[in-house]
Amino acid sequence: MQNRVMLLAWMSKSIRRRLIIVLLVSVSLPMLIMSIMSYTNTRTIVRDMMLRETQTLFDEGKNHVVFYFDVINRASLYVYRNQIREQHLATMLKKDYDMESERFFYHTLTTMKEFEDAIVQVYMYLDDIQRSFLLRNYMVVSEENSDGYTENDSREAYIKGIHLNESYRMKHIINIKEEVITFHRNIYEVPLGKRIGQVSIDLNARILQELFGNLYSEDEYFYLVDRHDGIILYASESKLIGQAIDQKLYEKAERSFANGKKIFETNEGNNQGIVVVNTVEKPYMDLMMVKVIPQKKLNDKLNQILSLVFFILSLTTIIILVVSVLVSYYFTKPINELLDSIQKIRKGNLDTITHIIRDDEFGRLQYEFNDMMEAINNHIDIEYKLAIENTSNELKALQGQINSHFMNNILQSIGTESLKEGNLKVYELVVQLGQMMQYAMRNQHQIVELRDEVAYCVSYLKLQKHRFGDAFDYEISMENELEHIKVPKLLLQPIIENCFKHAFKETEKMGNIHVIIKLISGKANISILDNGSGIEADQLAELKEQIKSNCDINNAHYSIGLKNVYKRLKFYYKDRCDLFISSTKDQGTCVQLTIPTLVALDQWFMVEEKDKDENVDCG
């Protein structure tokens, strides 16, 4: 009760506080209710989303498998289609085996191999001529064999799961063992339907990983089952390949699929979770794909989404809080300004007015206030008014000294108006000028970081770029480790300004300034190059001498700014710094500074003499 009274008292003393509370409650309460309602449906949404993704993957995987094994099926059927000079399988089996027959069967096997790169070897047995053929690495061997059938399966075509490849009781010069899957096809005499042979195509087992590996993740279980005998042809756990699938799981999968349901839940053994099934049915294969999504994965996915929802809710709450505060300040600021003006008038400043920047009711109130004060002032005794005016003139004289804050406010107002008018170019120029003025007017900071000095130069160059357009360009490169070293304020800008005053004044070619800042032998090396008119050799020699002398410089070509820069360098760095100038007539000028890499103010006057540093080639 006491806390409630304190809250009401706190709110009653300020319109701004009451407005903040009202905005927060009116916006946050509906969002909170909506979040609670969304939470109740999140589990169902996550489950349905994961199942839709799995079904889509299964459909795509099924299409890929059918397409791939259709190619292998066509390869196995080539034994019927091969024809050389009107000779085909039937005619070759009716004649004695000779060189022509051997070339025919060799051609048949090599053509089968070319159907797919993953084919490791091709085996063929023909009962009528009692001969076996084995192709491996494009080398074919043949042997007489009275019983060359490798499988007694009556199906016309079928697939055998992962196993080590074999030589089919034949001797081949190349003997390499690797895991394969085999596509078997029984050869029949057309149209009698009598089995006369067999073709076996061994494929590298990695093809199953390529076909099915993207259908499951590490924390899911996947089984590819031959529906003919319930044997696992491929699984996410390799140790299960070749074994019979869990009977209860398989029976549930068959029943569910028979009832038109491809999704069901199970709590059997290690397969607890949601099961997704699909089949691949072709004349040469009858497979079932089974994927088990563990309940733990569903919970983990749910927790991820809830975490995201909580993050968005928290972020939204913060945004609402900030917006509420800003809105309340926007509506109450004119009232506070009027109160401030009244306080000033109470203290005797009768010339106080409020700045009208709005056209709404608050702006009207400010206008009426100013009009009222003007009417009051007109009724004040003229003698008393004159006395006040004398004092006011002195105050205005002091206010005429424009400070940096006032200039920044003016530039910000200009920038705001340019944005309202959509003039981004003016806005950019105002920003650059504001940054330069703000930097230059911080008199209390005579030592700055090099990156701040470079930023000031960038603003200056951008303004010059706007002035000269395509007739001028610049480039600045600085090593990252030098950004935080300390330098005297306004060290580089006077040198760059000389380029515009002198270097580009007498040339018609496109002006270019390049500032290079790099670390050489432990010191910061700053080079400022231009492609201007350059300096005559005798003038350059005189300029170098006068810069480093104690007398005043009188060479107007590169101004007194260089001597001031050199004096400031020597003041801060003593003998640890230097300034170099090189120039070629009609080619350009390079001014180079070398300074120590100091990062703390207490280092300025604690430097010691070291060896002279290397210099950048400015030629």
Side-chain angles (χ1 to χ4, degrees), residues 334-360:
I335 298 176
N336 290 332
E337 289 180 350
L338 283 175
L339 293 174
D340 291 340
S341 299
I342 293 173
Q343 292 296 329
K344 292 179 181 178
I345 294 172
R346 180 177 294 176
K347 294 178 180 179
N349 188 359
L350 299 181
D351 291 331
T352 299
I353 61 172
T354 60
H355 298 284
I356 303 174
I357 58 176
R358 293 163 60 165
D359 297 328
D360 54 11

mmCIF file of all heavy atoms in Angstrom, residues 334-360:
data_model
loop_
_atom_site.group_PDB
_atom_site.id
_atom_site.type_symbol
_atom_site.label_atom_id
_atom_site.label_comp_id
_atom_site.label_asym_id
_atom_site.label_seq_id
_atom_site.Cartn_x
_atom_site.Cartn_y
_atom_site.Cartn_z
ATOM 1 N N PRO A 334 8.481 21.546 -24.784
ATOM 2 C CA PRO A 334 8.032 22.949 -24.871
ATOM 3 C C PRO A 334 7.534 23.489 -23.532
ATOM 4 O O PRO A 334 7.749 24.675 -23.214
ATOM 5 C CB PRO A 334 6.892 22.894 -25.901
ATOM 6 C CG PRO A 334 7.163 21.665 -26.699
ATOM 7 C CD PRO A 334 7.770 20.692 -25.757
ATOM 8 N N ILE A 335 6.871 22.637 -22.737
ATOM 9 C CA ILE A 335 6.396 23.089 -21.424
ATOM 10 C C ILE A 335 7.575 23.439 -20.536
ATOM 11 O O ILE A 335 7.569 24.477 -19.833
ATOM 12 C CB ILE A 335 5.521 22.003 -20.785
ATOM 13 C CG1 ILE A 335 4.290 21.737 -21.661
ATOM 14 C CG2 ILE A 335 5.099 22.410 -19.384
ATOM 15 C CD1 ILE A 335 3.418 20.619 -21.161
ATOM 16 N N ASN A 336 8.614 22.582 -20.541
ATOM 17 C CA ASN A 336 9.801 22.859 -19.719
ATOM 18 C C ASN A 336 10.512 24.122 -20.192
ATOM 19 O O ASN A 336 11.056 24.879 -19.371
ATOM 20 C CB ASN A 336 10.751 21.664 -19.770
ATOM 21 C CG ASN A 336 10.198 20.463 -19.025
ATOM 22 O OD1 ASN A 336 9.429 20.612 -18.080
ATOM 23 N ND2 ASN A 336 10.591 19.270 -19.445
ATOM 24 N N GLU A 337 10.511 24.354 -21.519
ATOM 25 C CA GLU A 337 11.136 25.575 -22.031
ATOM 26 C C GLU A 337 10.372 26.818 -21.554
ATOM 27 O O GLU A 337 10.974 27.844 -21.214
ATOM 28 C CB GLU A 337 11.189 25.536 -23.557
ATOM 29 C CG GLU A 337 12.193 24.514 -24.102
ATOM 30 C CD GLU A 337 12.220 24.493 -25.620
ATOM 31 O OE1 GLU A 337 11.320 25.145 -26.231
ATOM 32 O OE2 GLU A 337 13.113 23.853 -26.185
ATOM 33 N N LEU A 338 9.056 26.717 -21.557
ATOM 34 C CA LEU A 338 8.264 27.838 -21.043
ATOM 35 C C LEU A 338 8.545 28.069 -19.565
ATOM 36 O O LEU A 338 8.677 29.220 -19.116
ATOM 37 C CB LEU A 338 6.774 27.563 -21.261
ATOM 38 C CG LEU A 338 6.238 27.751 -22.678
ATOM 39 C CD1 LEU A 338 4.776 27.327 -22.751
ATOM 40 C CD2 LEU A 338 6.393 29.200 -23.122
ATOM 41 N N LEU A 339 8.651 26.985 -18.790
ATOM 42 C CA LEU A 339 8.972 27.126 -17.362
ATOM 43 C C LEU A 339 10.344 27.764 -17.170
ATOM 44 O O LEU A 339 10.525 28.615 -16.284
ATOM 45 C CB LEU A 339 8.911 25.763 -16.681
ATOM 46 C CG LEU A 339 7.503 25.125 -16.590
ATOM 47 C CD1 LEU A 339 7.607 23.722 -16.018
ATOM 48 C CD2 LEU A 339 6.593 25.991 -15.730
ATOM 49 N N ASP A 340 11.306 27.359 -17.997
ATOM 50 C CA ASP A 340 12.641 27.965 -17.905
ATOM 51 C C ASP A 340 12.577 29.455 -18.232
ATOM 52 O O ASP A 340 13.245 30.280 -17.588
ATOM 53 C CB ASP A 340 13.604 27.256 -18.868
ATOM 54 C CG ASP A 340 13.918 25.832 -18.431
ATOM 55 O OD1 ASP A 340 13.708 25.528 -17.238
ATOM 56 O OD2 ASP A 340 14.355 25.029 -19.284
ATOM 57 N N SER A 341 11.781 29.807 -19.254
ATOM 58 C CA SER A 341 11.657 31.223 -19.614
ATOM 59 C C SER A 341 11.007 32.022 -18.493
ATOM 60 O O SER A 341 11.410 33.160 -18.191
ATOM 61 C CB SER A 341 10.832 31.366 -20.903
ATOM 62 O OG SER A 341 11.468 30.713 -21.972
ATOM 63 N N ILE A 342 10.000 31.447 -17.852
ATOM 64 C CA ILE A 342 9.346 32.130 -16.734
ATOM 65 C C ILE A 342 10.321 32.348 -15.590
ATOM 66 O O ILE A 342 10.336 33.411 -14.938
ATOM 67 C CB ILE A 342 8.128 31.309 -16.266
ATOM 68 C CG1 ILE A 342 7.050 31.317 -17.360
ATOM 69 C CG2 ILE A 342 7.568 31.845 -14.964
ATOM 70 C CD1 ILE A 342 5.888 30.404 -17.081
ATOM 71 N N GLN A 343 11.193 31.329 -15.330
ATOM 72 C CA GLN A 343 12.196 31.474 -14.269
ATOM 73 C C GLN A 343 13.168 32.605 -14.606
ATOM 74 O O GLN A 343 13.577 33.369 -13.724
ATOM 75 C CB GLN A 343 12.947 30.153 -14.085
ATOM 76 C CG GLN A 343 12.094 29.023 -13.515
ATOM 77 C CD GLN A 343 11.620 29.319 -12.102
ATOM 78 O OE1 GLN A 343 12.305 30.004 -11.324
ATOM 79 N NE2 GLN A 343 10.413 28.850 -11.778
ATOM 80 N N LYS A 344 13.548 32.718 -15.888
ATOM 81 C CA LYS A 344 14.457 33.795 -16.291
ATOM 82 C C LYS A 344 13.783 35.168 -16.123
ATOM 83 O O LYS A 344 14.430 36.128 -15.703
ATOM 84 C CB LYS A 344 14.892 33.598 -17.745
ATOM 85 C CG LYS A 344 15.780 32.391 -17.959
ATOM 86 C CD LYS A 344 16.146 32.236 -19.435
ATOM 87 C CE LYS A 344 17.022 31.010 -19.658
ATOM 88 N NZ LYS A 344 17.354 30.817 -21.086
ATOM 89 N N ILE A 345 12.504 35.248 -16.482
ATOM 90 C CA ILE A 345 11.783 36.510 -16.320
ATOM 91 C C ILE A 345 11.661 36.874 -14.846
ATOM 92 O O ILE A 345 11.795 38.045 -14.454
ATOM 93 C CB ILE A 345 10.394 36.408 -16.969
ATOM 94 C CG1 ILE A 345 10.544 36.258 -18.490
ATOM 95 C CG2 ILE A 345 9.524 37.613 -16.629
ATOM 96 C CD1 ILE A 345 9.245 35.959 -19.202
ATOM 97 N N ARG A 346 11.413 35.862 -14.023
ATOM 98 C CA ARG A 346 11.321 36.110 -12.583
ATOM 99 C C ARG A 346 12.620 36.680 -12.041
ATOM 100 O O ARG A 346 12.620 37.455 -11.092
ATOM 101 C CB ARG A 346 10.954 34.807 -11.877
ATOM 102 C CG ARG A 346 10.840 34.943 -10.358
ATOM 103 C CD ARG A 346 10.393 33.631 -9.738
ATOM 104 N NE ARG A 346 9.029 33.292 -10.161
ATOM 105 C CZ ARG A 346 8.420 32.157 -9.828
ATOM 106 N NH1 ARG A 346 9.066 31.255 -9.103
ATOM 107 N NH2 ARG A 346 7.185 31.914 -10.228
ATOM 108 N N LYS A 347 13.738 36.287 -12.635
ATOM 109 C CA LYS A 347 15.038 36.786 -12.186
ATOM 110 C C LYS A 347 15.362 38.152 -12.795
ATOM 111 O O LYS A 347 16.439 38.700 -12.518
ATOM 112 C CB LYS A 347 16.131 35.791 -12.550
ATOM 113 C CG LYS A 347 16.002 34.476 -11.791
ATOM 114 C CD LYS A 347 17.094 33.500 -12.224
ATOM 115 C CE LYS A 347 16.976 32.173 -11.478
ATOM 116 N NZ LYS A 347 18.015 31.213 -11.900
ATOM 117 N N GLY A 348 14.476 38.711 -13.629
ATOM 118 C CA GLY A 348 14.684 40.055 -14.146
ATOM 119 C C GLY A 348 14.980 40.133 -15.623
ATOM 120 O O GLY A 348 15.096 41.230 -16.178
ATOM 121 N N ASN A 349 15.121 39.023 -16.320
ATOM 122 C CA ASN A 349 15.428 39.037 -17.757
ATOM 123 C C ASN A 349 14.118 39.105 -18.535
ATOM 124 O O ASN A 349 13.580 38.104 -19.002
ATOM 125 C CB ASN A 349 16.216 37.783 -18.128
ATOM 126 C CG ASN A 349 16.739 37.835 -19.548
ATOM 127 O OD1 ASN A 349 16.504 38.808 -20.264
ATOM 128 N ND2 ASN A 349 17.441 36.799 -19.950
ATOM 129 N N LEU A 350 13.608 40.354 -18.707
ATOM 130 C CA LEU A 350 12.301 40.533 -19.335
ATOM 131 C C LEU A 350 12.347 40.371 -20.852
ATOM 132 O O LEU A 350 11.292 40.347 -21.504
ATOM 133 C CB LEU A 350 11.748 41.921 -18.977
ATOM 134 C CG LEU A 350 11.533 42.183 -17.483
ATOM 135 C CD1 LEU A 350 10.968 43.574 -17.277
ATOM 136 C CD2 LEU A 350 10.618 41.131 -16.880
ATOM 137 N N ASP A 351 13.527 40.297 -21.442
ATOM 138 C CA ASP A 351 13.640 40.113 -22.896
ATOM 139 C C ASP A 351 13.632 38.638 -23.298
ATOM 140 O O ASP A 351 13.866 38.297 -24.467
ATOM 141 C CB ASP A 351 14.930 40.757 -23.421
ATOM 142 C CG ASP A 351 14.867 42.273 -23.336
ATOM 143 O OD1 ASP A 351 13.750 42.805 -23.428
ATOM 144 O OD2 ASP A 351 15.929 42.899 -23.191
ATOM 145 N N THR A 352 13.394 37.793 -22.362
ATOM 146 C CA THR A 352 13.403 36.358 -22.644
ATOM 147 C C THR A 352 12.283 35.989 -23.609
ATOM 148 O O THR A 352 11.147 36.429 -23.453
ATOM 149 C CB THR A 352 13.238 35.554 -21.336
ATOM 150 O OG1 THR A 352 14.337 35.850 -20.485
ATOM 151 C CG2 THR A 352 13.192 34.067 -21.624
ATOM 152 N N ILE A 353 12.633 35.181 -24.609
ATOM 153 C CA ILE A 353 11.633 34.633 -25.533
ATOM 154 C C ILE A 353 11.907 33.143 -25.689
ATOM 155 O O ILE A 353 13.000 32.650 -25.393
ATOM 156 C CB ILE A 353 11.681 35.320 -26.916
ATOM 157 C CG1 ILE A 353 13.053 35.095 -27.566
ATOM 158 C CG2 ILE A 353 11.333 36.783 -26.817
ATOM 159 C CD1 ILE A 353 13.108 35.576 -29.009
ATOM 160 N N THR A 354 10.899 32.440 -26.137
ATOM 161 C CA THR A 354 11.079 31.003 -26.412
ATOM 162 C C THR A 354 11.224 30.811 -27.912
ATOM 163 O O THR A 354 10.582 31.516 -28.702
ATOM 164 C CB THR A 354 9.875 30.195 -25.910
ATOM 165 O OG1 THR A 354 8.694 30.656 -26.563
ATOM 166 C CG2 THR A 354 9.721 30.347 -24.406
ATOM 167 N N HIS A 355 12.061 29.865 -28.295
ATOM 168 C CA HIS A 355 12.305 29.596 -29.717
ATOM 169 C C HIS A 355 11.194 28.694 -30.247
ATOM 170 O O HIS A 355 11.032 27.558 -29.796
ATOM 171 C CB HIS A 355 13.662 28.942 -29.916
ATOM 172 C CG HIS A 355 14.800 29.811 -29.465
ATOM 173 N ND1 HIS A 355 15.237 30.898 -30.198
ATOM 174 C CD2 HIS A 355 15.569 29.758 -28.343
ATOM 175 C CE1 HIS A 355 16.246 31.482 -29.560
ATOM 176 N NE2 HIS A 355 16.463 30.812 -28.431
ATOM 177 N N ILE A 356 10.470 29.185 -31.222
ATOM 178 C CA ILE A 356 9.337 28.442 -31.771
ATOM 179 C C ILE A 356 9.827 27.595 -32.940
ATOM 180 O O ILE A 356 10.261 28.133 -33.970
ATOM 181 C CB ILE A 356 8.222 29.399 -32.235
ATOM 182 C CG1 ILE A 356 7.775 30.286 -31.076
ATOM 183 C CG2 ILE A 356 7.039 28.614 -32.806
ATOM 184 C CD1 ILE A 356 6.791 31.356 -31.487
ATOM 185 N N ILE A 357 9.774 26.268 -32.772
ATOM 186 C CA ILE A 357 10.222 25.364 -33.835
ATOM 187 C C ILE A 357 9.128 24.371 -34.216
ATOM 188 O O ILE A 357 9.362 23.469 -35.013
ATOM 189 C CB ILE A 357 11.487 24.589 -33.406
ATOM 190 C CG1 ILE A 357 11.219 23.800 -32.135
ATOM 191 C CG2 ILE A 357 12.662 25.526 -33.220
ATOM 192 C CD1 ILE A 357 12.408 22.923 -31.720
ATOM 193 N N ARG A 358 7.924 24.551 -33.650
ATOM 194 C CA ARG A 358 6.839 23.621 -33.930
ATOM 195 C C ARG A 358 5.579 24.395 -34.320
ATOM 196 O O ARG A 358 5.400 25.566 -33.944
ATOM 197 C CB ARG A 358 6.560 22.737 -32.709
ATOM 198 C CG ARG A 358 7.716 21.791 -32.409
ATOM 199 C CD ARG A 358 7.662 21.204 -31.026
ATOM 200 N NE ARG A 358 6.456 20.434 -30.790
ATOM 201 C CZ ARG A 358 6.302 19.588 -29.780
ATOM 202 N NH1 ARG A 358 7.306 19.399 -28.921
ATOM 203 N NH2 ARG A 358 5.186 18.926 -29.610
ATOM 204 N N ASP A 359 4.685 23.705 -35.082
ATOM 205 C CA ASP A 359 3.461 24.340 -35.553
ATOM 206 C C ASP A 359 2.214 23.810 -34.855
ATOM 207 O O ASP A 359 1.098 24.164 -35.246
ATOM 208 C CB ASP A 359 3.307 24.126 -37.073
ATOM 209 C CG ASP A 359 4.428 24.791 -37.849
ATOM 210 O OD1 ASP A 359 4.921 25.837 -37.394
ATOM 211 O OD2 ASP A 359 4.800 24.259 -38.914
ATOM 212 N N ASP A 360 2.395 22.979 -33.837
ATOM 213 C CA ASP A 360 1.233 22.405 -33.155
ATOM 214 C C ASP A 360 0.783 23.325 -32.016
ATOM 215 O O ASP A 360 1.181 24.492 -31.929
ATOM 216 C CB ASP A 360 1.555 20.997 -32.646
ATOM 217 C CG ASP A 360 2.802 20.990 -31.772
ATOM 218 O OD1 ASP A 360 3.286 22.082 -31.405
ATOM 219 O OD2 ASP A 360 3.298 19.901 -31.455
#
